[in-house]
Amino acid sequence: AMPGIDFVSSIVLMVFSIGVVLRSIQMPRPGGWSSAPGLIPFFLATCTFFMGLGLLVSSIKNKGISQLVMKWKAFSPTQSISDTKVRRSLLIILFTAFYFFVLLGRIPFEFASFIYLASTLYIFWRKAGWLKIILVSALLPFFLSALFRVVFIVFMPGDSVFDWLVKYMK
């Protein structure tokens, strides 16, 4: 069944990668491409696209399409939706798409990342408890933003809380 799953996974990876590349290109480039916050997502999405393409070719060579058709005929929507792994996978895909296409660039990076991390950690790391989830979700985006803005002098997607501080301190 793996080549059939690989076929679907490769298509999803390639489509998602194209979306990330397009969004990365639309991000501002204040000092040229070297200062673009979308440079790393662009590079990673391009690599992911080609890995997905390799997976697609491998799947086709291993008769992934015929295996996918057999799986499709035996597919039961009610059984799939009741599977915890399927629900969690769909949720993480939705959260990631919401984070990337809705939150980033519209609200400060740190707030968008907090919302995303808190949501995903709640789903995948519940046993850690709310306090740890909130601490990690709050501290990690601020640390990364400060690191990139101050040390590497690279802008994060959208505004930053640090931009607000500079603006209000003047």
Side-chain angles (χ1 to χ4, degrees):
M2 210 55 197
I5 294 169
D6 288 349
F7 182 81
V8 173
S9 299
S10 66
I11 300 294
V12 170
L13 277 173
M14 291 181 348
V15 168
F16 185 73
S17 297
I18 290 169
V20 172
V21 164
L22 293 175
R23 181 77 163 104
S24 298
I25 291 171
Q26 294 171 350
M27 289 183 174
R29 297 178 288 276
W33 268 106
S34 62
S35 68
L39 182 61
I40 292 173
F42 175 84
F43 176 72
L44 293 175
T46 302
C47 291
T48 303
F49 177 84
F50 285 111
M51 288 186 273
L53 185 61
L55 188 62
L56 178 68
V57 169
S58 171
S59 170
I60 291 171
K61 284 182 182 177
N62 293 315
K63 298 181 172 64
I65 296 174
S66 61
Q67 289 182 10
L68 182 64
V69 169
M70 286 179 5
K71 280 284 195 186
W72 184 257
K73 288 179 181 177
F75 176 72
S76 168
T78 54
Q79 200 173 33
S80 293
I81 290 177
S82 65
D83 183 13
T84 303
K85 290 179 183 178
V86 171
R87 282 198 318 262
R88 291 173 78 184
S89 297
L90 289 174
L91 277 174
I92 196 67
I93 290 168
L94 288 172
F95 284 160
T96 304
F98 182 76
Y99 171 67
F100 195 79
F101 294 109
V102 176
L103 294 178
L104 282 181
R106 290 186 173 81
I107 62 175
F109 170 79
E110 297 83 2
F111 295 146
S113 297
F114 172 79
I115 293 167
Y116 172 73
L117 284 173
S119 302
T120 55
L121 289 177
Y122 177 73
I123 291 172
F124 292 101
W125 200 36
R126 252 185 227 179
K127 66 181 176 184
W130 272 107
L131 182 60
K132 283 184 184 177
I133 290 173
I134 289 172
L135 282 173
V136 168
S137 300
L139 295 177
L140 187 62
F142 280 96
F143 171 75
L144 289 176
S145 185
L147 178 71
F148 277 87
R149 296 280 295 162
V150 176
V151 177
F152 299 123
I153 310 170
V154 173
F155 293 102
M156 301 306 283
D159 286 340
S160 170
V161 170
F162 296 106
D163 296 332
W164 288 2
L165 290 174
V166 169
K167 197 182 301 182
Y168 290 116
M169 295 239 174
K170 288 184 179 182

